[in-house]
Amino acid sequence: MAPADPFSLDLTWTQVSPRLAAARLTVAAAWLVPLLVVAVLPPVLSGIAWLWVLPAVVVLLALWLLWLVPRQVGALRYAERDDDLLIRRGIMFRSLVVVPYGRMQFVDVKAGPIDRAMGIARVQLHTASPSSDAWIAGLPPAEAARLRERLASRGEARLAGL
Amino acid sequence: MSVPAPVRPEGVGEDGYVWRRMHPVTPLLRGWKIIAAVLIIASTQFTGDIRGAARLLGGDGWVAVLGGFVLVALVAVAWSFVSWRVTRYAVTDEAVHLRQGIVFRQQRQARLDRLQAIDVVQPLLARLVGLSELRLEVAGGAGSRVSLAFLRETEADALRAELLALAAGLRRPGTPGERTTSAAAPGAARPLDQAPSWFPGAAAEPAAGMAGSSGERLEGAAQDGSEPSSSGVTSWAPYGSQPASSSGTPAAYGAQPASSADASGIPAADGSLAGPPAGAVPSYADARYARPYPAATTRPGAVTEPTFATAPEHLVYELPMPRLLGSIILSGGTVWFALFIVAIVVMISVSAPFEAIYSLVPMAFALFSFFWQRINGSATFRAATSPDGIRLRHGLTETRLQTLPPGRVQAVRLHQPLLWRGKDWWRVVVNVAGYAGDREKQGTETVLHPVATRDEALLALWLVLPDLGVDDPRAAVQAGLVGLGEDGGYTAAPRRSRWVDPIGWRRHGVLVTRRALLLRSGRFWRRLDVVPHERTQSLALEQGPLQRQLDVASVAAHSVHGPVVPRIEHLDTAVAVALLEEQAERARHARRTAAPEQWMRSR
């Protein structure tokens, strides 16, 4: 990344588990593979050569995702400060969210079947604002539990109404 | 629950609460709504087929129609009656409880220390029979309000005064000491925001217990003198207590409050306090207790302990009807109306069959309801201050009297539609946590001033933020309203951002004061968002690929759900990052010193 990354704020950022990329790619495969099968059928059945463009597009999409998703997951990081939690996301469209512990109304920890198989969980922070889009996916369950406890205890200590 | 709960006689329930019923006329008013809905549905069914409807009503059909209508009306009223029978409410020192539901029973509890706003709403019919609905907004998102409908007008006003006083941290006079403490002591019932970390409770507890005497209360506040501006009483004193500065503070903003002494339409509790603001707050507690609510007007069987008088208030501004009409003429709806007239003229002139005009009926209806809603919602709009916060009153047929306690406004937006520019009119809207719920009502609920002149807009902002945190608030707001570039000390978007926003880039600007964040934008639809530091929920820094090439970034300050979405686009990246970091720190600091949620309570 750029030598002076303005989004880093000179903090030590924790990356999420690379297993998140595996989980996301699994989900992508779950619809890409049937799509590929459907795309292969027309050229095979009709024998028209240019129809191979269809499966080629699907394969290209798959390759693109294979390249993109690990990068996206690599860009998802978080940092805990004394009073707030910072979450960074995105490569093209970058964002950095700062959530003060005292503003948190509740914390969700979620894990779907694929997440559980991969051993990851997703922590979502809710403030009174619907626009604070603060979540961290791809946390190992132990880390998710630790983070939840920490957020809850810090939030309680600093809770300041609305 | 298949078996309906036995109807308990009025009075104390098994849980020790005093359960009260709504007014017995409620089912008729509620039933009327259902009937009206049926009528509207029926009429929309027939608008497309007027001849068919006429034929049906012409023959013997009208008997069936009338019979059906009577049946629907009976069912509606019967349903409303049963629902009234099972609806009860109870008020304790900490919360309002509401029980309702015929099939699915529900008991809702609204904590008073979480109270965001209290509205007294009077639909036309209820107004005719002297009833009103009391709505308590708590910050629970959609559908979290507690609605007490309908109560007798006087009862609703008294209950509102009582709830505001309790929410402000006062206690009922004559409450036995042990009851006060036992009610306040259990940890679970204590609001979390009064955790010892920032609540020097020892000083406040006796003060609250002795609320009957204002001297005691003020002494309690004075014990906290190290932080004079953070005690509930003193921090809101500019609203009415400082005789010299209450007119002087708005003068600092450059505007004078409306000079008329008091709201003629608003019943003030105590005539002697209703006029000039002098001494309103110091005698507030006296006003509260000097006039216990007359026992004669309380419902038989209801609590007989004396409650609280309505806090005194004084008018700040009101909206003249000509300006409201003018503002509606200068709105987008008028453009549509003109097009509509043109359409009719064209249709008639090309001699289309006259009936083709019927196809315009829905559009005419939509236009009419647009204009009507604008007029009805904003007519007789007036804002007043009181120790309980901002009082807004508006509405032509359905009146609404809103009370926003201090510190409940999360963000303010002053904006100017394109056509209002010539008149220099502004619309002031706010975010209030409780009003988040229903979007369709947001138009009227979240308006602080429907059509303000420049001075009134400043005044409206002053209502929310008496101290803007700059030495020359008027200049700062002026620059925010109409300024460009670096005017008024704003940090503007750099020139290179014109590649991403060629028209508006010079308007993007931000000013940070000691108390609030001012975000300016909009070249044609001018906009100024003001967010008090202690009200920012979270912050975000965002940068798209184009912005990255230009080394600019956007900052969003997240506020509660509402019309104000504070955001500043295309600041220099370094500036944006600094703003984010500093704002996080400022918000943290401001929260620590913010006034308590229970605004009459010393900290």
Side-chain angles (χ1 to χ4, degrees):
Chain A
M1 204 146 282
D5 181 2
F7 279 56
S8 85
L9 304 179
D10 300 325
L11 293 170
T12 36
W13 295 85
T14 316
Q15 282 190 304
V16 301
S17 162
R19 292 196 296 272
L20 176 63
R24 286 188 174 177
L25 286 173
T26 310
V27 174
W31 59 269
L32 273 175
V33 169
L35 191 66
L36 187 65
V37 171
V38 172
V40 163
L41 283 180
V44 167
L45 294 181
S46 66
I48 304 170
W50 64 264
L51 277 180
W52 285 100
V53 170
L54 291 178
V57 165
V58 175
V59 168
L60 277 180
L61 184 66
L63 286 176
W64 180 66
L65 283 179
L66 215 54
W67 170 79
L68 178 73
V69 168
R71 271 168 54 90
Q72 275 186 334
V73 169
L76 178 57
R77 314 157 179 218
Y78 62 95
E80 291 165 73
R81 288 200 297 203
D82 286 346
D83 294 291
D84 39 30
L85 180 80
L86 294 91
I87 304 172
R88 286 175 68 187
R89 267 199 298 273
I91 307 162
M92 277 276 268
F93 294 86
R94 297 192 295 181
S95 75
L96 165 65
V97 182
V98 184
V99 188
Y101 297 130
R103 301 267 100 169
M104 271 181 322
Q105 301 292 326
F106 60 99
V107 182
D108 272 343
V109 180
K110 280 186 199 166
I114 296 174
D115 290 349
R116 282 205 301 275
M118 298 282 177
I120 52 174
R122 176 191 169 104
V123 172
Q124 179 142 21
L125 283 66
H126 296 267
T127 68
S129 166
S131 16
S132 16
D133 184 26
W135 50 264
I136 312 170
L139 292 169
E143 168 72 358
R146 184 197 69 81
L147 199 60
R148 187 197 61 211
E149 285 305 315
R150 188 179 151 89
L151 294 176
S153 60
R154 294 213 163 187
E156 206 164 298
R158 288 169 177 76
L159 186 70
L162 283 176
Chain B
M1 271 276 246
S2 55
V3 183
V7 177
R8 194 171 294 280
E10 298 236 333
V12 180
E14 80 275 23
D15 37 18
Y17 300 142
V18 181
W19 290 98
R20 293 183 245 179
R21 276 216 182 108
M22 308 298 170
H23 194 273
V25 179
T26 304
L28 289 176
L29 292 177
R30 282 276 164 96
W32 161 250
K33 263 189 197 165
I34 302 176
I35 295 167
V38 170
L39 269 183
I40 287 171
I41 292 168
S43 63
T44 50
Q45 289 295 313
F46 280 123
T47 40
D49 188 13
I50 288 173
R51 290 221 177 105
R55 204 179 322 120
L56 185 64
L57 292 174
D60 286 341
W62 69 271
V63 180
V65 170
L66 191 68
F69 181 73
V70 169
L71 194 69
V72 167
L74 281 178
V75 169
V77 171
W79 177 269
S80 308
F81 179 74
V82 177
S83 127
W84 169 77
R85 289 278 294 181
V86 298
T87 304
R88 306 280 174 90
Y89 71 96
V91 180
T92 65
D93 281 357
E94 278 84 33
V96 173
H97 304 260
L98 177 68
R99 269 184 185 173
Q100 57 186 5
I102 300 172
V103 182
F104 297 94
R105 321 212 81 199
Q106 182 188 34
Q107 178 165 344
R108 179 173 285 184
Q109 175 182 357
R111 272 170 53 182
L112 287 177
D113 57 346
R114 281 282 176 257
L115 186 74
Q116 300 295 315
I118 295 190
D119 294 2
V120 177
V121 184
Q122 280 192 298
L124 180 62
L125 215 59
R127 201 170 156 200
L128 290 178
V129 292
L131 298 180
S132 39
E133 174 185 358
L134 196 71
R135 289 186 189 166
L136 281 79
E137 304 285 356
V138 285
S144 66
R145 77 156 58 112
V146 170
S147 157
L148 306 181
F150 289 90
L151 305 174
R152 207 173 287 142
E153 257 171 18
T154 47
E155 203 178 358
D157 290 346
L159 188 57
R160 186 191 58 160
E162 180 184 346
L163 292 177
L164 281 169
L166 291 172
L170 302 183
R171 287 279 173 263
R172 288 196 178 91
T175 310
E178 70 269 18
R179 195 186 141 193
T180 306
T181 45
S182 73
R190 299 286 298 162
L192 281 172
D193 56 7
Q194 287 173 15
S197 64
W198 67 280
F199 189 85
E205 216 34 63
M210 303 294 284
S213 134
S214 64
E216 291 280 352
R217 246 171 26 76
L218 291 174
E219 187 185 300
Q223 286 177 12
D224 214 357
S226 55
E227 284 181 334
S229 68
S230 63
S231 118
V233 176
T234 38
S235 82
W236 290 93
Y239 271 157
S241 75
Q242 297 170 357
S245 73
S246 80
S247 60
T249 312
Y253 269 49
Q256 289 292 337
S259 58
S260 59
D262 186 63
S264 51
I266 303 177
D270 190 330
S272 68
L273 290 169
V281 167
S283 48
Y284 171 48
D286 298 335
R288 278 278 162 104
Y289 301 109
R291 292 202 163 189
Y293 190 58
T297 42
T298 38
R299 172 183 303 290
V303 276
T304 48
E305 68 213 80
T307 42
F308 303 89
T310 307
E313 62 183 38
H314 90 275
L315 181 70
V316 179
Y317 55 76
E318 55 189 336
L319 174 63
M321 198 63 183
R323 198 197 300 159
L324 173 64
L325 294 176
S327 78
I328 291 170
I329 290 169
L330 291 177
S331 70
T334 316
V335 178
W336 283 107
F337 186 70
L339 288 176
F340 176 67
I341 298 292
V342 169
I344 288 182
V345 170
V346 168
M347 271 193 171
I348 291 175
S349 61
V350 301
S351 74
F354 187 73
E355 284 168 11
I357 287 178
Y358 284 130
S359 62
L360 290 173
V361 164
M363 199 181 153
F365 191 74
L367 272 176
F368 175 78
S369 71
F370 168 81
F371 285 122
W372 176 243
Q373 273 177 7
R374 273 300 188 77
I375 295 176
N376 197 13
S378 306
T380 71
F381 196 99
R382 53 196 302 149
T385 61
S386 85
D388 282 335
I390 305 169
R391 288 263 164 83
L392 304 174
R393 188 193 174 92
H394 51 97
L396 206 59
T397 58
E398 174 178 306
T399 59
R400 183 185 290 262
L401 179 50
Q402 296 171 255
T403 306
L404 303 176
R408 261 56 170 186
V409 174
Q410 307 272 334
V412 190
R413 167 172 291 179
L414 294 85
H415 74 109
Q416 183 176 57
L418 185 61
L419 293 173
W420 287 8
R421 179 178 285 233
K423 292 281 189 184
D424 198 20
W425 284 338
W426 297 83
R427 190 172 171 86
V428 186
V429 293
V430 293
N431 279 1
V432 174
Y435 292 144
D438 33 300
R439 275 169 177 276
E440 79 275 13
K441 285 282 171 73
Q442 224 176 55
T444 56
E445 273 182 342
T446 53
V447 175
L448 192 58
H449 199 318
V451 197
T453 61
R454 180 84 62 95
D455 281 348
E456 285 175 355
L458 291 164
L459 209 56
L461 184 58
W462 171 80
L463 275 181
V464 175
L465 262 178
D467 174 18
L468 199 60
V470 280
D471 298 328
D472 188 356
R474 185 176 174 86
V477 178
Q478 293 275 26
L481 292 178
V482 297
L484 293 172
E486 310 284 335
D487 293 354
Y490 278 70
T491 307
R495 186 172 166 76
R496 57 183 185 275
S497 68
R498 69 187 186 278
W499 294 107
V500 273
D501 191 351
I503 296 168
W505 68 273
R506 291 194 64 194
R507 276 283 291 162
H508 294 300
V510 58
L511 179 70
V512 180
T513 76
R514 292 187 298 276
R515 290 294 312 278
L517 189 63
L518 278 72
L519 307 171
R520 179 188 79 180
S521 62
R523 196 86 167 83
F524 296 117
W525 283 266
R526 288 164 170 165
R527 203 162 69 205
L528 174 67
D529 292 348
V530 181
V531 191
H533 291 323
E534 66 270 26
R535 301 289 161 217
T536 45
Q537 295 290 330
S538 56
L539 296 158
L541 180 68
E542 284 159 25
Q543 191 178 48
L546 269 177
Q547 287 182 311
R548 196 169 169 189
Q549 290 306 312
L550 297 166
D551 193 26
V552 292
S554 304
V555 176
H558 299 145
S559 179
V560 299
H561 181 74
V564 188
V565 185
R567 186 182 168 85
I568 177 78
E569 307 275 1
H570 315 317
L571 289 177
D572 181 86
T573 304
V575 172
V577 169
L579 178 69
L580 184 86
E581 286 241 75
E582 289 166 19
Q583 189 59 27
E585 176 56 38
R586 268 190 297 266
R588 191 154 55 233
H589 181 73
R591 277 197 294 277
R592 268 192 219 115
T593 55
E597 297 249 308
Q598 297 185 327
W599 60 98
M600 291 300 285
R601 214 167 224 223
S602 53
R603 294 178 58 192

